[in-house]
Amino acid sequence: MGELSNTVFSHAEEFVQQVPLLVTSSHATINRPAITLTFAQSLDGKISLPGQQLLLSGAESMAMTHRLRSMHDGILVGIDTVICDDPQLCVRHVPASELTSVAHPQPIVLDSQLRIPLTARLLVGPQTNSRLKMPFIVTGPDHDPARRAQLEQMGARVVVVACDAGRLCLDAVVRELRQLGIMRLMVEGGARVIQAFLESQIVDLLIITIAPVLVGSSGVAAALSPLSAPIVPQLYEQFGRDVVMAATILHNVG
């Protein structure tokens, strides 16, 4: 991605300032952070290819996403995203004047079996860049103690929560993150994490980037099953070739 103009960065800033839930009360409670769910999808609703990274966002909407990251205390993904994409989960696409001062969010990985590679950039990056934060790795009670010791020796924080049918209990996850000081949480994926948060009825804000691309039937859908709660769009904005929607979800309606 080439160098972006100040106009692009200003557009990103103007957009996030228009989203009420980002600039008013945080909607955090004593039991959980305020939660923003965000992802990029194709016109046919796909977010990735099986086992492959799929870059959908253009440069302009990517700048908006990184501005969003800077407004959250933590950024959460599932272990499949870490294994497939090897993300850094930091703030990079901001004006050069901010690069040395911007606050990077706390990376958080849902990893019930501690499968995160020891070579992951989330673990290696902070060793060479002191401004990056070692990840919180949220796991279940049935994990490998030796693997946990390795990760903790590297500097990661392993957080143990209850599981239900082999899956981490999201209520327990967000409650623990709130206790660890995460007031605003940004959830980025992948598909199973997106679906779990949508079904959990704890998402305050939904921000979707729609790219003018058709992935086809081999792609992985953003939503694996219908969402019963109504989605209420608050704002649409074009960023380069992409369209971004900010919306709220009306839980317990109907």
Side-chain angles (χ1 to χ4, degrees), residues 109-173:
V109 182
L110 300 186
D111 183 5
S112 62
Q113 296 296 318
L114 296 183
R115 294 189 293 133
I116 186 170
L118 299 182
T119 56
R121 290 197 291 179
L122 287 175
L123 294 169
V124 175
Q127 297 177 18
T128 57
N129 183 347
S130 61
R131 296 192 63 250
L132 299 178
K133 299 172 182 175
M134 274 291 186
F136 292 169
I137 303 174
V138 185
T139 193
D142 186 20
H143 62 265
D144 181 354
R147 184 68 164 185
R148 175 178 180 172
Q150 283 182 302
L151 293 168
E152 291 178 332
Q153 187 174 20
M154 293 182 73
R157 180 164 188 161
V158 178
V159 180
V160 181
V161 301
C163 284
D164 182 12
R167 287 190 164 189
L168 299 173
C169 296
L170 285 190
D171 284 344
V173 170

Side-chain angles (χ1 to χ4, degrees), residues 154-204:
M154 293 182 73
R157 180 164 188 161
V158 178
V159 180
V160 181
V161 301
C163 284
D164 182 12
R167 287 190 164 189
L168 299 173
C169 296
L170 285 190
D171 284 344
V173 170
V174 297
R175 183 168 56 250
E176 190 67 27
L177 293 178
R178 176 65 181 81
Q179 294 303 309
L180 290 171
I182 303 298
M183 295 289 291
R184 286 183 178 270
L185 177 65
M186 182 169 168
V187 178
E188 286 200 5
R192 288 192 295 179
V193 171
I194 291 169
Q195 186 69 35
F197 270 87
L198 287 174
E199 292 175 350
S200 70
Q201 300 189 11
I202 57 175
V203 173
D204 298 296

Side-chain angles (χ1 to χ4, degrees), residues 222-242:
L224 305 179
S225 61
L227 179 65
S228 58
I231 294 175
V232 182
Q234 302 290 328
L235 185 65
Y236 289 96
E237 188 78 12
Q238 185 167 355
F239 286 87
R241 63 173 196 166
D242 304 332

